[in-house]
Structure formats: structure tokens, C-alpha cells
Amino acid sequence: MIELEGMPELIDPVMVAAFEGWNDAGDAASTAVAHLDREWKGEVFAALDAEDYYDFQVNRPTVWLDGGVRKITWPTTRLSVVRVGGDKPRDLVLVRGIEPSMRWRSFCNEILGFAHELGVEMVVILGALLGDTPHTRPVPVSGITSDADLARTMDLEETRYEGPTGIVGILQEACTHAGVPAVSLWAAVPHYVSQPPNPKATLALLNRLEDLIGLRIPLGELAEDARAWQLGVDQLAAEDSEVAEYVQTLEEARDTAELPEASGEAIAREFERYLRRRDSGGPGGHATDGGEGTYLRDPAGGRPKPPMPPRPEPESGSPTDADRSGGTSGSGGDEEQDGPPAGDEGTGGPAGEQADGGRNDRDEGEGGNRSDRDEGEGGGERPES
């Protein structure tokens, strides 16, 4: 551990973590924590020693110039604190980094050491996976836990998954064994357009996190970015009749599966969000879970759109094939995710190589690049049914 500052005194803290790599389809989870850090002006107070956990041939350090002086930024995991005021102030401990290459148990023990020292009441780990979900519908987000009592009191799924897992699953189990309440939130990213960024999936994770911890999260321009992203994918899909037909098939399956829920719990959650934002005087622009109105084409136009995703290629074979290659994302393999299905019930969706390979720029201070990511890191886990 490299402690950069003294340990802060916190109020009812919740730890929110996300890791780039296998559990971060479309960079949706790591971008969500980066958004919290940016909007609430997080203060970094500690970092894990990169020498202990990372293979630098996999996660390369980066060299940069500071006033003509060459400096190196090493890939690592950093912890920062954000202080959220209001009627019920609460602090967040943000853990943001890269899935470690080695010594996962020691890695989790270090993070849990911080959690115990800071008095963290709950750990929320964000993840994203590739799934059979249409880009035109609200992003499915599944909340899972290994704690039966927590599942019952917080309306979460109790995971019964068996199979390969990533650092999200390992950290959640470490928290459970240490007696720290832990929840994982998984967003399903359309496998046929998994290239980062995916602001719609990031927004969905933040919405669900807001419901879970009872804080109003400032969204900034995320809602506009999500609309622009969907418009871009709509335009690309419209240029290929096979892709458009495949998306329509996913839409029909999704609508049929979720029809009973649309008039119940989802509407209640959305109304609670509305009241929370109205009472706090916050801006609008919140994306809904229960309907797609927020994600329709932006009639105003004019605002620069985020980088356009690559044109999706049609799949060979049936759209429901379990061993799908992942369209334009270049995903391969069918690794599985922890937790319940985030997309269509029982399908889970293919989880090929995540968007690790095309990202050469690390967010401030995180260092490394992803061009040398080894082939086995793609994909992610698939939540179980």
C-alpha cells in the first residue's frame, strides 16, 4: 500500500468500486466511478503498490511530459473520498483501477483493510457484461449479493453462480467472508456494439446506484451523451437490413419478457427518483429504467456526439445462438459472469473479449494502456439465472 494522505474521517461511508478489464464491457463500470469522482471532486488518499499486483507487459505504464520533464504513470488502483452534503450527508469511498494480474487475495485484503479502517457500511461493486440486449431499450441492471439477508431486505438477487469469475466476484466474496455487506451491480451491454464508450450503460449503473444508496447523483451531460450514442447506433443499424432485423428480434424478446414488470416495480422506482430529484432541486435529464422515452433521438441536435461505435456486422446463424462471436466488438469466447441474468431471462448473452484492446489512453493518473491486453482477459462473467 502507498498511503498518499492521512486517513479521512467519514460520515456513514459506502465504498463504490469498479475495475477496468474483464468485468467492464464498454468501459461502463469504470466510467461510472470516474464520473462520481469528477462530479463530486474526489480527493485521492491512497493507492495500491503497482509492483505487487500488475504485470507491466499486460498493463503498460505511460510516459508523459510535465514542463519538459519526462514522468511515468504506473497502472494501479487508487482510493478517493467524496463528501456528499445535503439533509442527510454521506461520504463515498471510490475505488477505481484495473483488474489485478496476480495476488488477488492480497489485493482484496488491502481494500478490505481500508474499508474496516474507514468504517465502511457497505461495498458496492460495479460491473458490465456483454448480453443479448437491444440498444434501443433501457439497459438491464442486475443487483446481486451473496448475503441472503441483504438480498431480502434490499430486493436483490442471491447469486448461485458457479464458474469462472473476475475480480468483481472475488471482491464480493471476500467482503461476505469478512462480514462486510456487499452488492454487485451488473449492466448488460449489447454484444453487437460493445466498443467503448457506452454512456447509456454508465447512466443505467448510476441510476441503480442512486436507488441503492439513496443519494441524488449529478448526471452532468450523461443523459445527452446516452441519447447521442443511441442515435448513432440507430443510424448504423439502419444501414444494414440484417442488423436491423436482428435488433428487432431482440426488442420483441425483451418486450415480451418484461411486459408484466413494466407497470409495477419499475414505475414505482422511477417515481421515487422523480421525487428525490424534485426535493433536492437537482436538474432533470434522468434516464428511466422502465421506458425508453429518455433514450429517443435528440430533436435538438447540435450537441457534439461521443465517438461513434463501429458499424455492427450481422451474425452468421441464428440470433439466439449461445456461442455468438460478438458482432463488431471483436469479442470471442463465452466466459460467464457472476450473478443473475442482466438481459433476457436465461440467455445471459455471450461474453467475448471486452473493449480492452483499443484503449491506449488512461484516465488521469491511472496509467497503462490496453493495447497489450492478453487474449484471455476478454469477455466477462455472465450473471446466472
Side-chain angles (χ1 to χ4, degrees):
M1 177 194 74
I2 303 174
E3 190 169 319
L4 306 178
E5 301 289 344
M7 300 294 282
E9 295 289 333
L10 305 180
I11 301 173
D12 301 331
V14 171
M15 179 177 280
V16 182
F19 304 95
E20 299 175 11
W22 204 61
N23 300 142
D24 194 22
D27 292 351
S30 58
T31 302
V33 174
H35 176 85
L36 296 175
D37 190 69
R38 182 174 59 253
E39 291 293 323
W40 275 322
K41 298 178 174 57
E43 301 173 7
V44 176
F45 65 88
L48 304 189
D49 192 339
E51 290 280 349
D52 293 338
Y53 303 113
Y54 295 103
D55 179 348
F56 298 136
Q57 291 181 324
V58 175
N59 298 286
R60 300 272 178 178
T62 57
V63 179
W64 55 287
L65 293 175
D66 181 13
V69 178
R70 290 173 67 81
K71 294 187 176 181
I72 297 176
T73 299
W74 297 93
T76 188
T77 294
R78 290 179 172 80
L79 289 85
S80 59
V81 61
V82 298
R83 302 182 182 276
V84 185
D87 297 335
K88 296 180 179 179
R90 161 170 262 180
D91 297 329
L92 299 182
V93 179
L94 304 181
V95 180
R96 182 178 169 218
I98 309 166
E99 182 176 69
S101 306
M102 61 195 81
R103 301 185 182 92
W104 284 22
R105 286 175 291 187
S106 298
F107 181 87
C108 293
N109 286 338
E110 279 210 53
I111 292 176
L112 280 170
F114 282 109
H116 284 302
E117 190 168 351
L118 295 169
V120 166
E121 298 180 347
M122 181 171 64
V123 176
V124 182
I125 315 163
L126 306 183
L129 55 97
L130 300 179
D132 288 332
T133 182
H135 72 277
T136 53
R137 296 294 186 265
V139 176
V141 177
S142 300
I144 66 168
T145 182
S146 299
D147 187 320
D149 293 334
L150 198 62
R152 183 171 55 257
T153 57
M154 302 192 73
D155 193 25
L156 301 168
E157 295 285 342
E158 185 179 357
T159 179
R160 300 191 181 279
Y161 170 79
E162 296 177 316
T165 188
I167 194 61
V168 172
I170 297 299
L171 180 56
Q172 177 171 315
E173 290 306 308
C175 290
T176 301
H177 290 301
V180 179
V183 176
S184 296
L185 300 180
W186 289 94
V189 172
H191 70 89
Y192 57 89
V193 57
S194 62
Q195 204 86 339
N198 191 318
K200 186 171 179 179
T202 295
L203 188 58
L205 281 170
L206 292 175
N207 288 348
R208 186 63 185 273
L209 177 64
E210 184 180 69
D211 294 339
L212 190 69
I213 64 178
L215 289 177
R216 188 189 70 82
I217 297 174
L219 299 178
E221 297 182 340
L222 266 178
E224 289 298 312
D225 289 344
R227 280 191 285 266
W229 177 87
Q230 178 165 326
L231 176 60
V233 180
D234 284 346
Q235 293 171 340
L236 291 173
E239 296 174 4
D240 191 312
S241 60
E242 291 186 55
V243 173
E245 183 178 351
Y246 174 60
V247 172
Q248 184 178 0
T249 300
L250 293 179
E251 290 173 339
E252 292 171 354
R254 173 75 181 275
D255 294 344
T256 300
E258 296 194 349
L259 186 60
E261 183 187 356
S263 60
E265 185 178 330
I267 294 177
R269 283 199 306 265
E270 193 60 34
F271 186 63
E272 289 173 2
R273 289 198 192 106
Y274 164 75
L275 293 177
R276 184 162 56 242
R277 289 182 174 276
R278 185 194 64 176
D279 294 342
S280 62
H286 185 79
T288 65
D289 283 345
E292 63 175 295
T294 309
Y295 297 129
L296 293 178
R297 295 174 174 81
D298 184 2
R303 188 179 178 281
K305 291 184 287 187
M308 294 284 285
R311 174 173 176 166
E313 295 292 333
E315 298 290 333
S316 59
S318 168
T320 58
D321 288 342
D323 195 20
R324 190 175 282 109
S325 65
T328 60
S329 67
S331 57
D334 53 0
E335 305 283 8
E336 295 201 4
Q337 293 275 3
D338 279 358
D344 300 328
E345 297 181 5
T347 63
E353 181 179 346
Q354 301 292 340
D356 298 358
R359 181 166 172 178
N360 295 322
D361 296 302
R362 185 74 53 203
D363 281 332
E364 300 175 6
E366 289 213 346
N369 67 48
R370 310 174 88 165
S371 60
D372 298 282
R373 191 78 73 202
D374 60 3
E375 295 178 359
E377 195 179 66
E381 309 164 348
R382 182 193 315 159
E384 49 94 26
S385 51

